Amino acid sequence: IGDCAFRGIAIEDTQFLMKMPQLRIIGYQKLEYYGVEKNSENKVASLPTGGSSDILVDSGHQATDKNKKVYGSEVFTNCNQLKEVTLPASVEQIGSRAFYFKATAVDDVYSSSSKITKVTWTSSTDKSAAVTRTIYSEAFGGNVSIKTIVLPENQGAGESLIIEPYAFFANVALENVGVTGDGSNVLPVTLKAVKRRVFSDCNSLKKITIKPTEEGFCPALDEGVFMWCTSMQEATLPNDVVEIPKKFFYNVPLTTFN
């Protein structure tokens, strides 16, 4: 599904995607940039309605303009009636800002027009192919109403999950994230990397468990992943973690750490 394909439409769910068993990509952009840090709001732009002759698209569908400004996928951005996102197991890539909503902060309280409350990415049962799944930067950034995110996990298939920077930034209502969505908050064992500030400012998240990979290693951890998660009291990391990066739990009121 290409960039901006459904931007601004009035759908309430994405059940129609479940009828697309060959769907692999939702949004082309795979950005190393992100626009939510201080003084960097202009690093990522919205693709203009109707397109623009100033935007260049390379053979990999990556969009820039003559000034090297980059653009987010915004496949479902500004779908202000969208309440539930369901994705088939065939999906391998969720592009940068695919479900992004612009969030603004007043007195450190974030708000946006997003009404999405639940995201379910269905797990595959196919053991025949090793699939790498990637959630790119800011994919779900600014979704202030999401309470539950269910991530895929296909054990024994050689599957990998990589979550890029700020993927769930400012999901301030998020309480449940992991394989089950039941509040246990155990991330998939297929997780290979969780990048910079992925869950930053998820103020309702109370606990988290990152397990060793199926190969027995700690996933690659980046800085500030859970910073400003101001309700988090319990966290568990793999025993063989060799480094806890800077600001990983910055301003987090942990009372139990394993």
Side-chain angles (χ1 to χ4, degrees):
I1 300 177
D3 300 329
C4 303
F6 297 105
R7 187 169 73 180
I9 68 172
I11 57 169
E12 295 188 1
D13 61 57
T14 63
Q15 281 295 326
F16 67 94
L17 298 180
M18 301 301 287
K19 300 176 183 178
M20 303 179 182
Q22 303 302 316
L23 178 63
R24 294 179 50 250
I25 296 172
I26 300 176
Y28 291 127
Q29 304 308 310
K30 299 182 286 187
L31 304 184
E32 296 179 0
Y33 297 87
Y34 26 89
V36 298
E37 292 191 329
K38 187 176 181 180
N39 300 324
S40 63
E41 61 272 9
N42 294 321
K43 281 188 176 180
V44 183
S46 295
L47 288 161
T49 302
S52 169
S53 60
D54 292 330
I55 297 176
L56 307 174
V57 181
D58 66 19
S59 59
H61 300 285
Q62 300 304 286
T64 58
D65 66 12
K66 59 185 179 182
N67 297 315
K68 302 300 182 182
K69 180 176 285 187
V70 297
Y71 295 84
S73 295
E74 299 195 0
V75 180
F76 290 94
T77 292
N78 295 337
C79 291
N80 295 332
Q81 303 307 311
L82 183 58
K83 297 179 176 65
E84 185 167 354
V85 172
T86 308
L87 307 177
S90 58
V91 171
E92 298 175 11
Q93 172 182 315
I94 301 174
S96 294
R97 292 195 172 191
F99 294 87
Y100 171 84
F101 282 75
K102 180 176 176 59
T104 57
V106 177
D107 296 328
D108 295 324
V109 177
Y110 284 94
S111 62
S112 75
S113 61
S114 173
K115 294 184 176 66
I116 301 171
T117 60
K118 185 175 183 180
V119 176
T120 303
W121 191 352
T122 308
S123 294
S124 174
T125 58
D126 182 2
K127 307 296 183 183
S128 64
V131 175
T132 297
R133 305 185 189 278
T134 306
I135 304 172
Y136 281 95
S137 60
E138 299 184 19
F140 292 92
N143 280 273
V144 299
S145 298
I146 291 179
K147 292 185 177 181
T148 300
I149 297 170
V150 179
L151 297 171
E153 179 187 71
N154 185 12
Q155 293 190 39
E159 184 173 285
S160 299
L161 174 64
I162 298 169
I163 309 178
E164 295 287 348
Y166 289 91
F168 301 107
F169 171 76
N171 286 193
V172 296
L174 181 63
E175 298 177 356
N176 312 305
V177 60
V179 179
T180 61
D182 63 358
S184 58
N185 293 354
V186 179
L187 298 183
V189 297
T190 52
L191 180 68
K192 296 297 191 294
V194 56
K195 301 292 186 66
R196 176 179 172 86
R197 295 188 66 173
V198 163
F199 294 103
S200 175
D201 294 83
C202 291
N203 298 333
S204 299
L205 198 58
K206 293 180 172 61
K207 63 180 181 178
I208 198 72
T209 295
I210 298 178
K211 301 181 74 172
T213 65
E214 292 182 283
E215 295 79 16
F217 302 106
C218 179
L221 308 177
D222 207 341
E223 64 181 78
V225 169
F226 296 104
M227 67 183 297
W228 291 105
C229 289
T230 54
S231 294
M232 184 176 289
Q233 297 182 339
E234 181 179 344
T236 301
L237 299 183
N239 290 334
D240 59 350
V241 60
V242 295
E243 179 186 8
I244 299 176
K246 67 179 183 179
K247 297 185 178 181
F248 197 77
F249 292 111
Y250 180 77
N251 270 0
V252 175
L254 288 178
T255 58
T256 302
F257 179 76
N258 301 300

